Amino acid sequence: MEQLHTFSQTLSLNDIPALRKQMEQAMLELGGDPDAVADLILAVNEALVNSMRHGYQDQAGQVTMELWRAGRSLVVVQRDAARPFDPTTAPEPDTKLPLALRPFGGMGIHMMRNFTDEMRYERTKDGRNQLTFVKYNTFP
Amino acid sequence: MEITTSQANGRVPITILHLKGDLMDEEPLHSTAAQAIANGSQYILLDMNDVPYISSAGLRAIQFVFQSLQEGNHEDNEAMKRGIIAGSYKSPHLKLLNPSKNAAKALGVAGYDMFLEVHHNMGTAVNSF
């Protein structure tokens, strides 16, 4: 794998739009397919919000985002030092349930799963959450 | 996200909320729609022509508008139940205009497009209410 870009900062919820735009611009400048990049950005946005809301509980916290190229795939690795949270174990929402009867919430992780081709979680040896997204066919 | 409000008259009075920017938070759509409903709006068209992205929080805001309009129109509940059973129910009170490709993807992944009419022309959208 070839590392393309790293973003590392102390992040708060209010900083997410700016980081999201920086990442989107970087992915496009690296030659990523616009549709694939848009999908990844939607997934990453949800992951960042989860990290801030549930991991850091609305407080600012350190987040690192790495962009990697693996063949034609774009890989995004997100790390934070928040409390452990594995989104891959979350249950799937029932998206066929009528809107009038649905509980609120549960769509963020669903979007993360559906807008990427792979989503993996691990707790690193130094005690951080590491979430990896892979989007196939992002590069020509 | 910026929201401006306008009114249109088709067969019924319609409140049009023109959204501009990414729909990444529940606010300000939640409070703007709540205010419109409190002021008597029963039919809302969300103009999404300038909404590049929708997040899960944005989806929650749309669901809030959907459910708020539904709760205020109990006479529709029987029709809604019949439509849900038939798999053909779409809200007569909340409709969408011109969602972008990415916004449409989010609506589709969440299954919202099964319950919300999507229009691509303002006149057609207004006349559909």
Side-chain angles (χ1 to χ4, degrees), chain A residues 98-100, chain B residues 11-12 14 37 41-46 62-73 76-77 79-81 83-84 87-96 111-119 125 128-129:
Chain A
L99 268 186
Chain B
R11 285 175 292 178
V12 293
I14 300 151
I37 293 166
S41 295
Q42 294 185 40
Y43 299 92
I44 292 180
L45 176 64
L46 296 183
I62 293 173
Q63 186 179 348
F64 166 80
V65 182
F66 178 101
Q67 292 190 353
S68 298
L69 288 165
Q70 209 68 48
E71 284 164 10
N73 290 278
D76 291 338
N77 283 351
M80 180 180 75
K81 284 176 190 168
I84 287 171
S88 60
Y89 180 78
K90 298 210 180 205
S91 172
H93 298 279
L94 175 65
K95 303 186 184 192
L96 309 179
Y112 282 31
D113 54 351
M114 288 189 292
F115 307 104
L116 295 169
E117 275 184 33
V118 174
H119 294 271
S128 73
F129 281 92

Side-chain angles (χ1 to χ4, degrees), chain A residues 16-113:
Chain A
I16 290 176
L19 176 58
R20 191 179 67 233
K21 284 188 171 66
Q22 287 174 34
M23 293 185 65
E24 181 178 30
Q25 187 176 351
M27 290 177 187
L28 292 171
E29 286 175 0
L30 290 163
D33 172 75
D35 284 346
V37 167
D39 287 355
L40 261 175
I41 289 297
L42 282 166
V44 164
N45 182 75
E46 298 297 334
L48 287 168
V49 170
N50 270 348
S51 173
M52 290 294 109
R53 281 221 187 282
H54 306 302
Y56 286 120
Q57 300 185 297
D58 292 339
Q59 303 297 311
Q62 183 66 29
V63 173
T64 301
M65 307 294 291
E66 294 174 357
L67 307 185
W68 296 76
R69 179 176 182 149
R72 295 184 60 204
S73 298
L74 179 55
V75 180
V76 178
V77 180
Q78 174 180 321
R79 290 192 198 89
D80 66 44
R83 63 181 187 169
F85 177 65
D86 180 359
T88 64
T89 61
E92 280 285 345
D94 182 356
T95 57
K96 292 194 166 37
L97 196 63
L99 268 186
L101 306 176
R102 277 196 212 183
F104 284 96
M107 281 298 142
I109 294 171
H110 179 68
M111 290 171 75
M112 288 156 60
R113 283 194 181 107

Side-chain angles (χ1 to χ4, degrees), chain B:
Chain B
M1 155 100 358
E2 295 171 21
I3 302 179
T4 54
T5 303
S6 66
Q7 303 291 328
N9 284 308
R11 285 175 292 178
V12 293
I14 300 151
T15 299
I16 305 171
L17 301 182
H18 306 272
L19 313 183
K20 187 172 184 181
D22 293 338
L23 183 50
M24 291 290 192
D25 297 296
E26 289 182 62
E27 293 297 346
L29 177 55
H30 189 289
S31 54
T32 304
Q35 187 64 53
I37 293 166
N39 290 341
S41 295
Q42 294 185 40
Y43 299 92
I44 292 180
L45 176 64
L46 296 183
D47 176 3
M48 309 188 78
N49 197 44
D50 292 318
V51 179
Y53 284 112
I54 303 178
S55 73
S56 61
L59 290 172
R60 281 197 301 276
I62 293 173
Q63 186 179 348
F64 166 80
V65 182
F66 178 101
Q67 292 190 353
S68 298
L69 288 165
Q70 209 68 48
E71 284 164 10
N73 290 278
H74 299 292
E75 69 275 15
D76 291 338
N77 283 351
E78 282 308 311
M80 180 180 75
K81 284 176 190 168
R82 286 195 300 275
I84 287 171
I85 290 167
S88 60
Y89 180 78
K90 298 210 180 205
S91 172
H93 298 279
L94 175 65
K95 303 186 184 192
L96 309 179
L97 176 64
N98 274 337
S100 67
K101 189 175 177 181
N102 291 331
K105 276 200 277 191
L107 293 162
V109 159
Y112 282 31
D113 54 351
M114 288 189 292
F115 307 104
L116 295 169
E117 275 184 33
V118 174
H119 294 271
H120 299 284
N121 172 282
M122 178 65 83
T124 309
V126 166
N127 289 327
S128 73
F129 281 92

